[in-house]
């Protein structure tokens, strides 16, 4: 029954993230906006472009949703509220999120359209830029927790949250998580101004609804992962654990979505250059610093 | 009642989705949001959400009258919208080949809002209908034409053999009405838009008769060259004719590779294609082709004659249109980019011809001429109106009193502010700066028709915008170094002023000089410099308006029965525009117009070639092109 | 739950998701079928019909980064178990992995100096 409870909370969380996203893109805060647009999309035609790669085209949104959901399955919302507390939780999260790349590449290749194609391959470049910056900070977090269990990772932050213990890792992980969820300013695959929708542009109707749902779940999963790894998970005074999880996750999601409005879209060359020339050395430094701290502090 | 409804009875779940659709209207704007803002319409405030791709739109919103070429493109966009779809036309009723508008209104904000209400009702009640008919126009159709790979000029409508060389004709898809035919992804520059030369290795050419210029070679072994047909001594394949290298390369280099062309061994399993690594002729039917027995063909040989990119690799190029309705670019600009991966290899930009010539009749009433020029460019109507007035007064020898001149300058500067704000909104849409898009668009709508007091009241908001823009993180990273132009005196407007040359038509205007005008220049000539020139011009124009003290829309002076030739220049927001006209007894008999965008359109090619796609689009956007009125 | 049951649950979750999505598709299909019209299913390109197939050899410019990424990715695979036993192994663990990371980092610097870390 914990599974159902978690799924229910995820649904509510995804809905709220969708409201936040609609607010940041359109400027109107309407609680009924996601429901309205979901129903509207359900009622519209859902076409398959001519000469599309049918398997890729159909599989992409489903794979995006599935991989994001599997990633969310290892995130604890409260001490006992987790779908599967895998012994390799942090690793599994990474593995599940790796399929986001596959999904977007399929979405780029499938429709046989120019904008989608460019968007898909650009996302591959983006993945190469951020992938190490997701894994290396998780390493540092696991070093402190001496475990890959996500519940253990949260428990290890009882004294001091990781955001203060390893701030460098937090900054890198947060930026890389935004790039993974392709939120602005990292929205290279679905750029509105450069690719007229990109990989998302050829999806219509219910398939578009599934694609967007997958993206919302991905944002929620990454926000929850940030909270788990760096913000102490469910820990906090006064309120029950699930409330703290909810508040922190929504705050992180809102920050991710709002940051995009403040900056222009990043150039792919810059993303790769900064990720590798600045990000990797900083991530290695972070691992070293945490290694020293873990050994020195009791 | 909408024509683009879905088929079905409106009941149950369908009714629920129809109600949801009525609440969630998404619009695709034709020609573009900048035109809507220039007309003073606030689309978001009316309740419509703007989308970048027609596939996500349920309403096609046509703003203002558009020329026939754009209407055809709009018909294509309409056909690509999924049902239920509606057509909402503002300020125009000639829409063919589009269907008749489902909701029509005039170009005013109130009518827009009321039209949106009607649209919502139409969706709620008419999103599903028992009987619907398809939308069909000739422009949406492909025609299969048959052409000879050797001789692209031979085009037939049914299969057969080429009269010149006897080869079997291969099918092509083309647009039904001429225009740009289906191009092969050709990277060789044989002069003809590549229809032919892409088919390799056709064995079996009965009775081919070639001119001496043509030689025969083996598709597998390009080093084998003979002067008459035969078989290759190395692999036994029938030799194939091709033009000599001097004329642009071998015809065998075929660029329709599938994704597995990287592994050459796979080709042998494909029927009829043994010997060519994984070429997928999905676009055409090559049952007529019969390649000889399979032999390995390495990538080095396959890509031998292709042009190389900077890093030495020869990959396939694709032609991608980025116009006329691309978000972030000015609507109506036909931009076609040839992409090598995500780099622009070649580009071609042009604007469409206007609906009517500058002088529709040889003898035109001056008032009608002035209004003709006002309507010509919806993005800067006041500037061209002023240009027409000044040219006529110059031809008639009339003098304008000082206060009217100051009022005209005030109106011109007000339009400059509005135009630059509109450009900022377009730039924000292109680069994803959400706050700037909203702020600049809102300010533009306020500034457009503001009187002097109101303009001064908007000063703090403008100052906040410029300050916030300067502090935007990553703005410099996004725009610095892009679209760099060398100082060139033939350029105009903020484009040339960003290269350091202070050319400005307002230097010649005594009224402007009296008001304390100085040209704003920056060095660098890149997109960042152009952005800041425009931002600083906003501040300067506001100061000029304050000194002028009056803002008055230009009205033509009465020229009576004067005759003569006259010329005038006006610094439009995009650059200097020049008009020469001849008056004949008070009526305009001849006119010639030069707009800044005519010159700047030629810059698109050099600025985009070799650039990454996003950078190229930012560079094109930074030129602030106006595709209207350039066809004169 | 032991590991097998956990993975079984995750598999069930994945299959369930696919099932929900397919039933959504079925629901959408019940609402109405797609009407085939000319031009509707051509990929949308800003007002012109794009007819050419786009499945060509794409020129990706980031292959320099991709090669280095492979090296670091392999290293990450080794670091997962290392991170878990790090504290109990102590300084030795830091030095061991430090050497490994330093070698890779030198590789990164070498690649940088040779121009691998740029848009090709």
């Amino acid at each position: 029954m914990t599974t159902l409870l978690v799924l229910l909370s995820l649904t509510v969380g995804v809905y709220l993230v969708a409201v936040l996203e609609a607010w940041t893109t359109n400027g109107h805060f309407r609680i009924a906006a996601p429901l309205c647009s979901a129903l509207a999309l359900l009622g519209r035609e859902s076409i398959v472009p001519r000469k599309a790669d049918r398997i890729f085209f159909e599989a992409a949104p489903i794979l995006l949703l599935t991989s994001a959901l599997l990633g969310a399955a290892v995130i604890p919302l409260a001490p006992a509220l987790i779908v599967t507390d895998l012994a390799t939780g942090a690793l599994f999260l990474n593995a599940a999120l790796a399929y986001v790349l596959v999904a977007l590449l399929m979405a780029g290749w499938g429709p046989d359209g120019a904008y989608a194609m460019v968007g898909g391959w650009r996302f591959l470049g983006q993945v190469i830029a951020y992938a190490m910056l997701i894994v290396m900070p998780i390493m540092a977090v696991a070093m402190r927790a001496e475990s890959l269990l996500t519940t253990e990772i949260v428990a290890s932050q009882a004294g001091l949250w990781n955001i203060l213990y390893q701030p460098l890792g937090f900054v890198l992980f947060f930026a890389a998580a935004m790039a993974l969820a392709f939120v602005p300013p990292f929205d290279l695959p679905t750029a509105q101004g450069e690719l007229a929708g990109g990989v998302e542009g050829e999806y219509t109707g219910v398939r578009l609804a599934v694609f967007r749902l997958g993206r919302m779940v991905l944002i929620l999963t990454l926000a929850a992962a940030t909270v788990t790894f760096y913000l102490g998970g469910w820990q906090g005074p006064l309120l029950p654990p699930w409330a703290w999880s909810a508040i922190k996750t929504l705050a992180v999601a809102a920050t991710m979505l709002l940051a995009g409005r403040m900056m222009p879209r990043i150039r792919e060359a810059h993303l790769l250059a900064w990720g590798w020339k600045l990000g990797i050395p900083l991530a290695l430094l972070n691992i070293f610093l945490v290694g020293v701290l873990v050994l020195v502090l009791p | 009642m909408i024509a683009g409804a879905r088929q079905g009875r409106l009941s149950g779940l369908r009714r629920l989705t129809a109600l949801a659709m009525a609440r969630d209207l998404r619009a695709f704007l034709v020609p573009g949001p900048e035109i809507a803002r220039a007309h003073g319409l606030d689309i978001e405030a009316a309740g419509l959400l703007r989308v970048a791709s027609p596939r996500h739109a349920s309403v096609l919103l046509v703003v203002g009258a558009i020329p026939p070429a754009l209407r055809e493109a709009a018909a294509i966009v309409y056909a690509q919208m999924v049902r239920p779809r509606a057509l909402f036309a503002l300020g125009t009723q000639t829409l063919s080949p589009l269907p008749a508008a489902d909701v029509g209104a005039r170009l005013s904000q109130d009518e827009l809002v009321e039209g949106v209400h009607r649209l919502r009702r139409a969706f709620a009640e008419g999103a599903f209908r028992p009987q619907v008919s398809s939308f069909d126009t000739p422009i949406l159709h492909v025609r299969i034409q048959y052409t000879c790979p050797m001789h692209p000029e031979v085009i037939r409508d049914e299969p057969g053999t080429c009269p010149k060389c006897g080869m079997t004709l291969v099918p092509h898809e083309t647009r039904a009405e001429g225009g740009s035919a289906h191009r092969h992804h050709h990277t060789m520059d044989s002069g003809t838009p590549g229809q032919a030369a892409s088919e390799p290795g056709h064995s079996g050419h009965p009775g081919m008769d070639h001119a001496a210029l043509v030689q025969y070679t083996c598709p597998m072994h390009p080093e084998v060259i003979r002067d008459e047909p035969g078989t290759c001594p190395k692999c036994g394949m029938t030799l194939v004719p091709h033009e000599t290298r001097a004329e642009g390369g071998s015809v065998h280099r075929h660029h329709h590779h599938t994704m597995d062309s990287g592994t050459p061994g796979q080709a042998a399993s494909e029927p009829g294609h043994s010997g060519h690594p994984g070429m997928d002729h999905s676009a055409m039917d090559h049952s007529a082709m019969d390649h000889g027995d399979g032999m390995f063909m390495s990538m080095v040989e396959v890509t031998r004659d292709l042009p190389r990119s900077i890093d030495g690799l020869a990959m396939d190029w694709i032609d991608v249109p980025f116009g006329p309705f691309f978000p972030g670019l000015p609507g109506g600009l036909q931009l076609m980019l040839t992409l090598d991966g995500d780099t622009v290899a070649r580009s071609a930009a042009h604007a469409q011809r206007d609906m009517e010539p500058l002088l529709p009749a040889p003898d035109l009433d001056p008032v009608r001429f002035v209004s003709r020029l006002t309507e010509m460019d919806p993005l800067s109507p006041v500037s061209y109106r002023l240009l027409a007035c000044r040219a006529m007064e110059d031809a008639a020898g009339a003098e304008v009193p000082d206060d009217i001149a100051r009022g005209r300058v005030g109106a011109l500067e007000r339009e400059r502010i509005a135009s630059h704000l509109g450009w900022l909104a377009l730039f924000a849409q292109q680069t994803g700066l959400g706050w700037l898009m909203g702020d600049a668009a809102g300010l533009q709508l306020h500034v457009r028709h503001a009187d002097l007091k109101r303009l001064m009241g908007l000063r703090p908001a403008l100052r906040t915008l410029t300050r916030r823009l300067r502090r935007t993180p990553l703005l410099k990273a996004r725009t610095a170094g892009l679209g760099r132009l060398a100082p060139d005196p033939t350029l105009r407007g903020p484009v040339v002023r960003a290269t350091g040359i202070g050319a400005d038509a307002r230097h010649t205007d005594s009224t402007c000089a009296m008001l304390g005008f100085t040209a704003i220049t920056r060095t660098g000539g890149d997109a960042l410099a152009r952005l800041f020139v425009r931002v600083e011009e906003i501040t300067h124009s506001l100061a000029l308006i304050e000194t002028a003290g009056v803002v008055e829309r230009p009205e033509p002076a009465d020229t009576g029965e004067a005759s003569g030739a006259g010329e005038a220049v006006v610094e439009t927001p995009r650059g200097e525009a020049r008009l020469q006209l001849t008056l004949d007894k008070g009526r305009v008999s001849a006119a010639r117009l030069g707009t800044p965008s005519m010159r700047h359109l030629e810059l698109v090619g050099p600025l985009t070639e070799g650039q990454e796609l996003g950078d190229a689009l930012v560079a094109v956007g930074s030129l602030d092109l106006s595709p209207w009125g350039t066809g004169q | 739950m032991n590991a097998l049951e956990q993975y079984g649950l995750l598999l069930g979750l994945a299959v369930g998701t696919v099932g929900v999505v397919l039933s959504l598709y079925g629901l959408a299909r019940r609402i109405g079928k797609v009407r085939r019209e000319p031009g509707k299913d051509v990929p949308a390109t800003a007002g012109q019909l794009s007819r050419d197939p786009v499945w060509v050899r794409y020129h990706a410019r980031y292959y320099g980064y991709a090669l280095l990424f492979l090296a670091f990715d392999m290293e990450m695979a080794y670091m997962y178990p290392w991170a878990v036993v790090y504290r109990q192994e102590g300084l030795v663990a830091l030095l061991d992995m430090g050497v490994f990371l330093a070698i890779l980092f030198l590789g990164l610097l070498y690649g940088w100096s040779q121009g691998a870390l740029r848009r090709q």
Side-chain angles (χ1 to χ4, degrees):
Chain A
M1 286 310 104
T2 41
T3 312
L4 286 177
L5 214 56
V6 171
L7 287 178
L8 192 63
S9 348
L10 279 180
T11 314
V12 173
V14 164
Y15 191 85
L16 291 172
V17 169
V19 170
L20 281 173
E21 206 245 350
W23 176 45
T24 51
T25 43
N26 303 331
H28 312 295
F29 191 91
R30 278 177 51 207
I31 274 288
L35 185 64
C36 221
S37 49
L39 276 175
L41 283 176
L42 197 64
R44 294 171 65 77
E45 290 178 330
S46 181
I47 58 178
V48 178
R50 50 181 245 135
K51 295 194 276 180
D53 192 319
R54 196 70 198 268
I55 300 178
F56 279 2
F57 187 74
E58 302 282 7
I62 303 179
L63 184 60
L64 182 65
L65 179 60
T66 311
S67 73
L69 213 52
L70 285 179
V74 293
I75 308 266
L77 304 176
L81 200 60
I82 184 174
V83 175
T84 51
D85 198 5
L86 285 177
T88 53
L91 170 59
F92 185 82
L93 175 73
N94 217 19
L97 292 177
Y99 279 94
V100 170
L101 159 67
V102 179
L104 280 199
L105 270 177
M106 290 205 279
W109 184 272
D112 195 18
Y115 300 158
M117 178 85 147
V118 176
W121 290 114
R122 281 167 103 180
F123 187 66
L124 178 55
Q126 192 171 321
V127 167
I128 292 177
Y130 75 66
M132 285 298 106
L133 300 178
I134 293 257
V135 179
M136 289 191 183
I138 294 182
M139 281 303 102
V141 165
M143 281 160 74
R144 186 188 181 198
E146 295 180 66
S147 164
L148 289 175
L149 280 162
T150 44
T151 41
E152 276 291 318
I153 291 177
V154 173
S156 76
Q157 299 179 58
L160 184 69
W161 288 358
N162 273 336
I163 186 175
L164 296 170
Y165 194 94
Q166 15 188 315
L168 193 54
F170 171 73
V171 169
L172 292 172
F173 183 83
F174 190 72
M178 280 175 69
L180 203 167
F182 53 98
V183 294
F186 301 104
D187 60 342
L188 291 170
T190 57
Q192 293 243 315
E194 282 173 21
L195 289 176
V199 294
E200 192 182 59
E202 286 301 322
Y203 284 102
T204 49
V206 67
R207 293 184 177 93
L208 180 65
V210 173
F211 192 96
R212 291 203 170 143
L213 178 66
R215 182 152 177 264
M216 293 298 125
V217 177
L218 185 61
I219 295 177
L220 184 71
T221 303
L222 283 167
T226 312
V227 166
T228 305
F229 291 144
Y230 287 98
L231 290 172
W234 63 75
Q235 292 162 353
L238 298 177
L239 292 172
W242 55 264
W244 273 120
S245 276
I247 293 174
K248 292 184 201 175
T249 309
L250 286 175
V252 172
T255 316
M256 278 187 184
L257 291 168
L258 278 174
R261 276 181 68 88
M262 303 296 142
M263 291 183 270
R265 189 173 307 115
I266 198 167
R267 287 163 69 174
E268 167 125 11
H270 285 178
L271 175 61
L272 281 163
W274 296 341
W276 277 86
K277 295 180 187 172
L278 193 61
I280 300 278
L282 285 179
L284 291 173
L285 179 67
N286 179 52
I287 290 181
F288 178 74
L289 283 176
V290 169
V292 167
L293 278 177
V294 162
L295 288 180
V296 164
L297 296 177
Chain B
M1 242 292 287
I2 47 181
R6 279 189 89 173
Q7 189 155 18
R9 260 182 334 114
L10 193 68
S11 60
L13 189 57
R14 291 197 188 125
R15 174 168 280 285
L16 191 60
T17 58
L19 287 172
M21 278 187 263
R23 301 278 314 149
D24 187 61
L25 286 178
R26 290 172 193 254
F28 186 83
L29 286 162
V30 165
E34 73 280 0
I35 306 280
R37 281 194 299 267
H39 284 296
L41 302 170
D42 191 350
I43 304 293
E44 274 86 11
L48 294 171
L49 294 164
R50 233 174 352 103
V51 287
S53 166
R55 292 246 190 263
H56 301 164
S58 51
V59 177
L60 184 67
L61 180 52
V62 180
V63 182
I66 49 181
L70 283 191
R71 269 185 261 138
E72 288 183 348
I76 293 175
V77 166
Y78 183 76
Q80 290 178 330
M81 286 166 60
V82 283
R83 287 177 181 255
R85 57 192 179 198
L87 183 56
F88 186 6
L90 287 176
T92 178
Q93 271 161 358
T94 39
L95 288 172
S96 109
L98 283 168
D102 297 304
V103 173
R106 280 192 292 263
L107 275 172
S108 86
Q109 181 72 13
D110 296 323
E111 295 232 2
L112 170 65
V113 173
E114 205 257 317
V116 170
H117 284 313
R118 277 188 283 152
L119 204 57
R120 286 199 211 278
R121 262 201 314 273
F123 263 99
E125 291 156 14
F128 290 87
R129 276 216 323 261
Q131 292 292 105
V132 292
S133 57
S134 300
F135 171 63
D136 200 352
T137 50
I139 196 147
L140 300 170
H141 286 280
V142 264
R143 227 170 23 161
I144 305 283
Q145 287 178 329
Y146 296 86
T147 174
C148 170
M150 301 290 121
H151 304 103
E153 63 274 14
V154 170
I155 301 177
R156 298 274 179 275
D157 281 326
E158 59 282 313
T161 54
C162 171
K164 297 191 185 178
C165 64
M167 266 177 68
T168 328
L169 298 179
V170 275
H172 276 279
E173 294 178 331
T174 60
R175 265 178 53 165
E177 289 169 359
S180 57
H182 170 71
R183 285 186 50 159
H184 287 266
H185 308 316
H186 253 323
T187 52
M188 59 174 111
D189 333 21
S190 41
T192 54
Q195 280 186 21
S198 63
E199 269 64 82
H202 308 280
S203 58
H205 300 293
M208 265 207 290
D209 177 27
H210 288 271
L213 204 53
V214 181
Q215 296 174 315
Y216 293 80
T217 185
C218 170
M220 301 291 114
H221 304 102
E223 64 273 19
V224 170
I225 302 179
R226 302 271 180 277
D227 279 327
E228 64 282 314
T231 56
C232 170
K234 298 191 184 180
C235 64
M237 262 182 81
T238 323
L239 292 182
V240 178
H242 79 104
E243 286 143 27
T244 56
R245 294 281 157 87
E247 283 171 14
S250 155
V251 299
H252 299 293
R253 305 315 167 197
H254 207 306
H255 305 307
H256 294 274
H257 301 290
T258 56
M259 55 184 132
D260 350 85
S261 61
T263 51
Q266 289 186 9
S269 55
E270 289 170 57
H273 291 291
S274 48
H276 287 276
M279 291 196 220
D280 175 30
H281 310 290
S282 54
M284 52 210 75
D285 167 43
H286 291 289
S287 50
M289 276 207 301
D290 178 23
H291 303 287
D293 17 74
M295 282 299 262
F296 175 79
M297 194 154 146
S298 73
M299 268 300 131
V300 174
E301 292 177 18
V302 169
T303 61
R304 179 186 296 254
D305 296 314
L306 300 184
R308 315 252 150 195
S309 310
I310 302 178
D311 57 354
L313 290 178
M315 295 287 196
D316 298 333
W317 296 0
I318 52 177
D319 294 319
V320 186
F322 277 85
F325 305 128
F326 195 78
L329 290 180
L333 180 70
Q334 317 250 19
L335 184 64
M336 174 76 87
L337 298 177
T338 307
L339 291 181
D340 168 28
D342 61 352
T343 317
V344 176
R346 276 199 301 266
S347 68
H350 64 273
Q352 73 292 329
R353 308 218 121 247
D354 277 334
M355 287 176 288
E356 36 173 83
L358 194 58
L359 272 187
D363 199 27
L364 197 56
D365 176 41
V367 176
R368 263 199 64 197
F369 179 71
V370 168
S371 56
R372 164 87 191 94
L373 263 183
T374 314
E375 289 154 14
M376 185 188 66
D377 185 351
L379 295 174
S380 47
V382 172
S383 312
Y384 286 100
R385 190 181 179 86
L386 179 60
L387 184 66
C389 293
R390 279 194 186 162
M392 283 198 322
E393 281 144 23
D394 186 53
E399 278 290 325
V400 183
D402 195 38
D403 52 340
I404 293 195
R406 274 188 291 130
R408 284 178 172 183
V409 167
L412 181 66
E413 295 306 315
R414 178 180 66 185
E415 180 172 85
R416 190 180 316 279
I417 299 176
S419 172
H420 286 334
L421 285 171
W423 177 81
L424 276 174
L426 211 56
F427 171 75
Q429 188 187 5
Q430 190 175 55
T431 52
L433 268 176
W435 68 267
L436 182 61
M437 189 158 56
D439 284 0
L443 274 175
Q444 180 189 8
L445 290 168
H446 286 310
V447 162
R448 254 187 91 243
H449 271 250
D451 59 3
L452 184 67
K453 209 169 57 133
R454 188 99 191 285
L455 275 173
M456 293 304 122
L458 288 170
R459 184 178 242 158
L462 285 169
R463 211 178 290 145
T464 320
L465 184 112
T466 50
R467 210 179 20 221
R468 204 167 163 197
L469 190 59
R470 276 183 224 279
R471 287 203 313 241
T472 303
L474 291 186
L475 184 67
K476 216 186 283 193
R478 175 73 249 194
T479 49
L482 289 184
R484 203 177 280 280
L485 287 169
D488 180 353
T490 61
L491 303 176
R492 327 234 184 114
V495 175
V496 75
R497 290 198 281 279
T499 62
I501 301 178
D504 194 315
R506 288 174 285 174
H507 283 307
T508 56
D509 187 5
S510 55
T511 326
C512 284
M514 205 169 58
L515 294 174
F517 158 77
T518 52
I520 309 236
T521 57
R522 271 199 172 226
T523 51
D526 57 0
L528 183 69
R530 293 196 273 274
L531 185 144
F532 277 116
V533 163
R534 292 188 183 110
V535 166
E536 282 160 22
E537 278 188 1
I538 292 178
T539 321
H540 189 55
S541 290
L542 206 54
L544 280 178
I545 294 178
E546 190 180 21
T547 323
V550 54
V551 173
E552 198 69 54
R553 188 164 180 258
E555 295 298 334
D558 187 16
T559 52
E561 293 283 313
S563 295
E567 185 177 336
V569 290
V570 156
E571 181 74 13
T572 69
R574 289 168 180 83
E576 174 194 294
R578 184 177 296 262
L579 178 64
Q580 296 156 334
L581 59 74
T582 327
L583 278 182
D584 197 17
K585 292 216 223 354
R587 301 180 76 82
V588 181
S589 61
R592 246 188 51 186
L593 178 67
T595 61
S597 295
M598 287 178 191
R599 169 75 184 96
H600 293 166
L601 268 174
E602 300 160 20
L603 293 173
V604 170
L607 279 190
T608 52
E609 273 156 31
Q611 300 291 318
E612 191 248 334
L613 177 62
D615 300 349
L617 290 176
V618 167
V620 171
S622 73
L623 290 176
D624 197 7
L625 296 166
S626 167
W628 310 97
T630 52
Q632 307 299 339
Chain C
M1 275 194 281
N2 66 5
L4 199 59
E5 286 172 13
Q6 285 177 329
Y7 282 112
L9 181 56
L10 288 173
L11 181 66
L13 187 62
V15 169
T17 312
V18 174
V20 165
V21 169
L22 288 179
S23 56
L24 268 179
Y25 284 7
L27 186 64
R29 187 84 193 290
R30 274 258 345 250
I31 291 183
K33 283 217 287 273
V34 174
R35 189 180 184 87
R36 289 196 164 281
E37 285 172 283
K40 183 189 270 188
D41 51 4
V42 179
T45 44
Q48 295 184 34
L49 284 173
S50 84
R51 301 230 164 246
D52 299 331
V54 177
W55 290 332
V56 298
R57 290 181 305 143
Y58 184 90
H59 194 166
R61 307 264 174 183
Y62 40 77
Y63 43 84
Y65 294 103
L67 288 174
L68 274 170
F69 170 81
L70 275 177
F72 276 84
D73 214 18
M74 290 301 104
E75 166 197 2
M76 283 299 123
Y78 293 119
M79 285 189 72
Y80 275 107
W82 171 84
V84 173
V85 299
Y86 172 73
R87 184 182 236 159
Q88 82 190 47
E89 293 295 317
L91 192 60
V92 171
L94 180 63
L95 292 175
D96 279 341
M97 193 50 85
V99 167
F100 189 11
L101 286 176
I103 294 175
L104 274 179
F105 185 64
L106 285 175
L108 174 72
L109 290 179
Y110 173 72
W112 188 344
S113 73
Q114 296 297 308
L117 295 189
R118 63 180 166 82
R119 186 183 156 78
Q120 304 291 339

